[in-house]
Every structure is written in structure tokens, then in C-alpha cells.
Amino acid sequence: MKTLVNITAALLIFAVAGCQNNGNTNTDADTARVTIKSIPGFTGLVDSLPMVDRTDADEKLKDISGSSFIPAPNGHKFEKVLAGIFVRKNNYVAIVFKCYTNVNKNWYRQILGTFDHKGKMIATEEIGMNAVSESKTEHSYTRMEPFFENDSIIELRTQWYVYSTNHESEPKSKGKLKLIKIDAKGEISHVPQEDISFQEYLRRFPEVKVPLVLDKAPDNSKLKPVSVLTPFFNFEQHIFADTLQFYHYGKILLPGKMPMLLYTTDEMEQGEGVIAPGYTLVVYTPEGKETDRKMLLGREDAEGYYTQAENASIAADGTIHLKETIAEPIFYNMDQQDDWRFIWDLTLRQDADGELQETRNHLEIASRFFDAKSMKNLLTSILPDESREEHSFEGTSWIPFPHPVAIAVHIFHRNNERLAEVVLANQNLDITDRYVIYSNLKNTSYAGTMPTHLTFEEDGEHQPKEERNFTGTTTIKINDKVLKITQDGKFTGK
């Protein structure tokens, strides 16, 4: 057992040094330069470790924790250490160590080490991380995950979230993807990005003519996949998808416009979410720097939330038109179908800097509960809950008018009497109008009973955050009645 201590200590001193660094975390970890002497009994040690499950690197690692196994360099102790074999070759064996600094918070460093068959270390590399760092100027969270392509190539995908000292609600984020390779001697090296010009990259895309309509899922069977080593595509939004499946579809080169490239996707799973096949448009400067991007067809969803783009068209002058649906739950104890649907009619035009300026032409607000029968069934399901107050507001959202208007579902119940209505409110949360979806009130008077002010569980929980530039029409359909919502928070067409 003494041999295991020596191996683990040699590897993990490097990991601890990284964990104790309170500086900026959004830098690549240096390759460890650690060497140790040959270890007697190394073969028996290796034989005691399981093989790494490459689809779930945490699943089959062996817990080697214990007072005799946990090194404590510089007074620091790992709370838990797991280990497993990544691959065995004629000249080396590669071992994965997962070293927890805080088990309850799931903070860890993951190290890949290669050894010859006598136990002499050949190379090490940090391949995983879940860590938090705080300094006087920022609070940051770093997540790195390894994706094992084969016996010698590993994708390292890293995401950094950085908050400034005022802990704003929306952090700055950055993602990076790199590849490492284990050669026949067990040495670990970084695979460099492609060294090509943007003009060479453009030649991978056939030119497509506009006007163009994108209303069907793409056929990717004959398209070339995008290399993860290209410097001209940012994978950040999908950095932790199970596989990165993007394809070269076509280029749109118009006079006076920045180059626009169309990529297609296959279905990709990302955590609890799914990304459906579709099209993404990316705008570049002539030098190849990305200026903007937009999903034109497809769907990304997770846990009841989803964004869907459909009915996209690109005009001869490069103007883009599409329908975009943003969906989210109102009643979280129901199934995973959407409750709110905010359906936007959008026009996008490229400006002089290559950014896509968005015009919101029309908004339709919809829900499967905006009819009396569905709402009655819902209330029958949720109102036996004795913890529910007589009055509650569900799913509060904001219509981004110049003076935003709040919209919510108000639920009332007393004894066996129930009511559900859609309410509108101003920025002071004063209710400005309401429309009943379902009511069986008999003994309770509606007038004087219903609240005049939106309330929430936490103060400031619901405040308008979007840009307040929408001046188009907004409609909502309740019990087969199409109503308009005005900018002063009123229903018309009752």
C-alpha cells in the first residue's frame, strides 16, 4: 500500500498547488513536471484499479481514500481520492486520479498520469476541474471536463464564469476546447489548432444563393463536419454537449456585408437538455473574427425551458426573418411541457460592425392552460396542496415595452371555490388589467376580493431585465378570444 501513497502524492502535489492559487483561474493549467523513482510492486497496484468508464468518468473509479492514502503537502489534505486506468499500452499505463478538495461542494481536480510498467512517471496533465476561486476583484467558477475520443486523444473542455466584486447576476463567461494526445511512449502533448487563413476556411463552404428559405431540418449525411481544431468557430455555447456535431453548409457573400456562414447541426445532448438538428448563422469580419450568431432553425431545450427557431428566410439583401419561441414553465410541479410560450416575429439586419440588429415585429403569448377546461383540470391537481395561499401569482414575466408590462397567472382558492386569471401590471407591480380564464365562484364576491398588486416570495425577484425597445403588437388568446395587450398594460378586444 505504501507504493500507492508515493504515486498519489507525486501527482497530487501539482493539483493542490493549483487549488491553493487564489489568483485568476481562467488560464490553462501547466503540464505537470513531476518525476519519481521506480516503484516496487507497481504492476500489482495497477491490477487493483478498475478501467475508467469513458462515457462517465466518475462511475467506476476506485476510492483510494483513507488516512494512509491522502497526501498533505503544505498542510493541505484531500478529502477523497479516486483512481482508475484510462488505457494500458505496451510502453505505458495511463491512470486517472480524481482528487476532491471539498466533497460536499463537489470541488475537485482531475489528473491524468502516464507511467512505464516499472512505475516511473512519464507525464501528467490536468484534465478535469470543478473549482471556485475568490479574490478582491472577482469571484470565479471553473469547470473542465475530459471527453475521451479514443485511446490517445482526449478533448478538454473548459468553461469559466467570472463575477466582479459586486456579484452581478449575469457573469462573464468564456469557453475553450483543446485536445491532448498520448504518443506511443506515453508522452502527453497538446494538439495545435489548424494554421490556415480565413480565406482558406471559407473555401470549405459552398456558396449559397439568396433569397433562401430554411424550413426543414438539414440532411447532414453529405456535409463535412467542422473540425474542433478550427480557430474560426466558437464552441462555447455547446462546450459540454456529448458530441460536437456541426457541419459546413454554405456561405453568403453580399456586397457591403460581412461574410455570413451557415452551419448545420445534428441532435446533441447536453446535460439534461437536447439540441435538435438545425441551422446556425455566424457573421465574421473579413479577417475571420466572429461578430454575431443566430439559430435560424432548430430547438434547444432543458427542464421545461426551450428556445425554438423556425420559418427562417434570408432575403436578397441579407435581411433575415424568422419566428422564435421562448418557452418556460409556469407550474413547476407539472410535467416538462412548456407553460408559457413567447412567440416572436423577428427581423434581423446586419449593421456596419457585422452585428445582427434585431427588430421585434410582433409578440404572441400562449399557454396550454389559457382555456377553461385545461385550467380546471390543472387546479384540481394543484389545489389540494394545503400549503398554497389563497392568492398566488405564477410565472411572472415581462413584456419589454419602453415601459415594461408584467404578465402573470393569478390563482385564487377558498374552500371549493376557484379562479384563475391572467393579470397585467406596471413596473410598480400595480395590477392594471385582468382577464378570467376559469371561475366557479358562487359564495365569494370577485369585486373587492381579488388583489390589486403583484406579490412575490422574494423582494426584487422579478424585475424587467430585457432591452425595452419593443413597440410592436402583442396578442394573447384566452378561451378562443384573441386579445391585444397595449403598452399601458390593458387588454383590448374583450
Side-chain angles (χ1 to χ4, degrees):
M1 303 303 283
K2 183 85 173 194
T3 58
L4 187 57
V5 178
N6 293 337
I7 295 172
T8 308
L11 279 172
L12 301 189
I13 286 173
F14 166 63
V16 171
C19 290
Q20 291 178 333
N21 178 12
N22 291 323
N24 194 340
T25 61
N26 56 346
T27 58
D28 292 337
D30 294 329
T31 302
R33 301 296 181 185
V34 181
T35 58
I36 58 178
K37 296 180 180 180
S38 298
I39 301 172
F42 182 76
T43 301
L45 165 67
V46 170
D47 290 341
S48 74
L49 296 177
M51 296 299 295
V52 171
D53 183 342
R54 298 186 187 182
T55 62
D56 186 350
D58 296 341
E59 182 66 24
K60 294 183 179 180
L61 297 181
K62 181 180 179 180
D63 189 342
I64 59 172
S65 304
S67 59
S68 62
F69 294 135
I70 302 176
N74 300 325
H76 184 93
K77 271 195 173 185
F78 288 106
E79 293 183 2
K80 186 177 182 179
V81 180
L82 308 177
I85 304 298
F86 168 53
V87 68
R88 300 182 199 226
K89 295 289 186 179
N90 291 333
N91 296 325
Y92 69 89
V93 59
I95 302 177
V96 173
F97 293 85
K98 190 164 187 179
C99 318
Y100 285 87
T101 57
N102 190 314
V103 173
N104 290 333
K105 295 182 178 180
N106 196 35
W107 293 349
Y108 61 82
R109 297 285 176 133
Q110 197 166 1
I111 307 296
L112 174 70
T114 55
F115 303 82
D116 69 17
H117 291 290
K118 293 182 180 179
K120 183 179 180 181
M121 181 178 289
I122 302 169
T124 63
E125 179 77 20
E126 188 167 44
I127 63 170
M129 181 191 307
N130 195 51
V132 172
S133 177
E134 288 188 291
S135 69
K136 293 181 179 180
T137 58
E138 68 181 29
H139 174 91
S140 62
Y141 164 64
T142 306
R143 175 187 174 193
M144 178 196 293
E145 288 191 9
F147 286 74
F148 303 102
E149 287 198 5
N150 51 45
D151 285 355
S152 61
I153 299 292
I154 304 174
E155 290 182 15
L156 304 183
R157 304 188 194 172
T158 307
Q159 186 88 45
W160 297 280
Y161 297 94
V162 180
Y163 298 81
S164 62
T165 50
N166 61 6
H167 294 267
E168 69 271 22
S169 59
E170 295 296 330
K172 298 175 183 177
S173 67
K174 179 183 177 183
K176 186 171 184 179
L177 185 154
K178 64 181 180 182
L179 270 62
I180 61 172
K181 181 179 181 179
I182 308 175
D183 67 17
K185 296 180 179 179
E187 294 287 352
I188 301 173
S189 61
H190 290 212
V191 182
Q193 282 192 317
E194 293 180 327
D195 184 17
I196 62 172
S197 69
F198 184 59
Q199 292 305 312
E200 290 177 276
Y201 184 68
L202 284 176
R203 287 197 280 271
R204 297 179 181 177
F205 295 78
E207 189 163 0
V208 295
K209 301 296 183 181
V210 287
L212 174 68
V213 175
L214 302 172
D215 56 2
K216 295 180 181 178
D219 178 6
N220 297 318
S221 60
K222 297 181 180 180
L223 300 180
K224 292 184 177 180
V226 177
S227 170
V228 296
L229 295 174
T230 180
F232 299 114
F233 188 83
N234 185 351
F235 294 95
E236 179 178 344
Q237 292 181 10
H238 308 294
I239 196 74
F240 294 119
D242 55 351
T243 56
L244 296 171
Q245 300 185 79
F246 292 87
Y247 301 85
H248 304 281
Y249 180 78
K251 59 189 172 189
I252 301 172
L253 305 176
L254 298 174
K257 303 288 185 184
M258 299 284 192
M260 294 185 288
L261 298 184
L262 279 167
Y263 298 86
T264 63
T265 61
D266 274 336
E267 182 172 298
M268 298 182 288
E269 294 185 6
Q270 183 164 318
E272 299 298 322
V274 177
I275 301 160
Y279 293 84
T280 295
L281 179 102
V282 182
V283 186
Y284 294 87
T285 67
E287 297 75 32
K289 181 180 179 181
E290 180 179 329
T291 61
D292 212 343
R293 66 170 58 194
K294 187 71 176 181
M295 181 174 66
L296 300 187
L297 178 72
R299 175 166 160 156
E300 300 179 3
D301 68 290
E303 298 182 343
Y305 295 83
Y306 70 78
T307 299
Q308 179 171 309
E310 54 190 325
N311 299 336
S313 63
I314 305 175
D317 66 352
T319 300
I320 301 166
H321 184 266
L322 74 149
K323 182 170 77 172
E324 182 177 76
T325 300
I326 311 295
E328 61 187 50
I330 301 176
F331 304 99
Y332 292 87
N333 57 337
M334 299 299 290
D335 59 39
Q336 294 299 301
Q337 297 181 44
D338 61 279
D339 299 333
W340 279 126
R341 293 193 306 280
F342 292 80
I343 307 166
W344 290 97
D345 181 275
L346 301 178
T347 299
L348 305 174
R349 294 181 177 87
Q350 190 186 131
D351 67 13
D353 297 321
E355 295 184 0
L356 297 172
Q357 298 301 318
E358 183 179 273
T359 300
R360 303 175 182 186
N361 306 307
H362 174 76
L363 170 62
E364 176 188 351
I365 301 176
S367 170
R368 60 198 172 107
F369 296 119
F370 286 173
D371 72 88
K373 182 178 179 180
S374 296
M375 181 57 73
K376 179 181 179 180
N377 292 337
L378 172 68
L379 296 180
T380 300
S381 172
I382 67 175
L383 289 183
D385 181 359
E386 295 180 358
S387 66
R388 292 186 70 94
E389 301 290 337
E390 276 195 344
H391 296 277
S392 62
F393 295 96
E394 311 285 352
T396 301
S397 296
W398 293 88
I399 303 171
F401 290 133
H403 298 286
V405 171
I407 183 168
V409 175
H410 168 232
I411 303 294
F412 167 77
H413 73 107
R414 180 181 295 167
N415 298 323
N416 292 321
E417 297 190 337
R418 298 165 179 174
L419 175 142
E421 60 182 353
V422 178
V423 298
L424 304 176
N426 58 27
Q427 286 182 258
N428 295 324
L429 303 183
D430 300 316
I431 293 176
T432 54
D433 210 349
R434 57 216 316 154
Y435 195 92
V436 173
I437 305 170
Y438 169 80
S439 174
N440 70 348
L441 301 187
K442 294 180 181 179
N443 299 318
T444 302
S445 170
Y446 180 86
T449 302
M450 299 302 112
T452 60
H453 192 78
L454 286 181
T455 56
F456 307 106
E457 292 183 2
E458 297 181 18
D459 292 339
E461 182 182 11
H462 296 279
Q463 293 296 326
K465 297 177 182 178
E466 297 185 61
E467 294 182 22
R468 306 174 187 184
N469 60 357
F470 176 53
T471 57
T473 57
T474 300
T475 58
I476 185 170
K477 187 176 181 180
I478 303 176
N479 288 328
D480 295 325
K481 184 76 171 180
V482 177
L483 310 172
K484 288 185 179 180
I485 300 175
T486 66
Q487 293 189 39
D488 58 352
K490 297 290 185 181
F491 291 114
T492 63
K494 294 182 181 180

